[in-house]
Amino acid sequence: MSNGMDDRRRGLEEEYFHRKNQEAIEKLRAKMRLAAHAKEAGVSSMKCPRCEGGVLKEIFIEDVPIDMCDKCAGVWLDSGEMEKLTQTDIARWFRSLWGRMEE
Ligand SMILES: [Zn+2]
């Protein structure tokens, strides 16, 4: 009897987490679609995840594309961009970035 209850509860928990995972994956997919569209169009319409009203703009620093917020100057890297970054002269890269921010 109690075993049956445990199994049932476990089943419900699994179902709950499965559904939560599906939701998270769907959200991520929607986000990636948005980013892909923006990239194709050559503009980033991504909103800054940190501040209100900030828009992420793609800029190139040492040939590495990064998304920078036009409001708070927050910097966001897509997957793969960090990898490219590690292949550049990282100190020089950061100097370029900071120089860009002070413009
Ligand atoms: Zn921002």
Side-chain angles (χ1 to χ4, degrees), residues 9-52:
R9 196 168 58 204
R10 207 168 299 135
L12 285 173
E13 273 174 21
E14 268 169 28
E15 196 191 303
Y16 174 79
F17 284 114
H18 179 73
R19 206 167 50 223
K20 281 276 154 199
N21 276 341
Q22 287 300 109
E23 281 173 17
I25 289 167
E26 267 314 303
K27 267 185 200 160
L28 199 68
R29 280 198 184 132
K31 228 176 179 178
M32 282 165 75
R33 270 198 298 271
L34 199 74
H37 282 311
K39 260 209 169 124
E40 274 170 29
V43 287
S44 177
S45 60
M46 296 274 288
K47 288 198 175 72
C48 179
R50 191 201 283 161
C51 67
E52 194 107 350

Side-chain angles (χ1 to χ4, degrees), residues 47-56 68-74 76:
K47 288 198 175 72
C48 179
R50 191 201 283 161
C51 67
E52 194 107 350
V55 176
L56 300 183
M68 187 190 260
C69 175
D70 62 356
K71 205 173 166 190
C72 72
W76 309 95

Side-chain angles (χ1 to χ4, degrees), residues 38-94:
K39 260 209 169 124
E40 274 170 29
V43 287
S44 177
S45 60
M46 296 274 288
K47 288 198 175 72
C48 179
R50 191 201 283 161
C51 67
E52 194 107 350
V55 176
L56 300 183
K57 295 218 155 55
E58 190 174 59
I59 59 168
F60 285 84
I61 295 184
E62 304 275 322
D63 292 331
V64 179
I66 62 167
D67 295 315
M68 187 190 260
C69 175
D70 62 356
K71 205 173 166 190
C72 72
V75 170
W76 309 95
L77 294 162
D78 290 343
S79 65
E81 289 175 355
M82 190 66 193
E83 204 180 0
K84 270 185 230 154
L85 196 53
T86 58
Q87 287 159 10
T88 66
D89 179 345
I90 197 105
R92 204 179 59 186
W93 190 90
F94 273 109

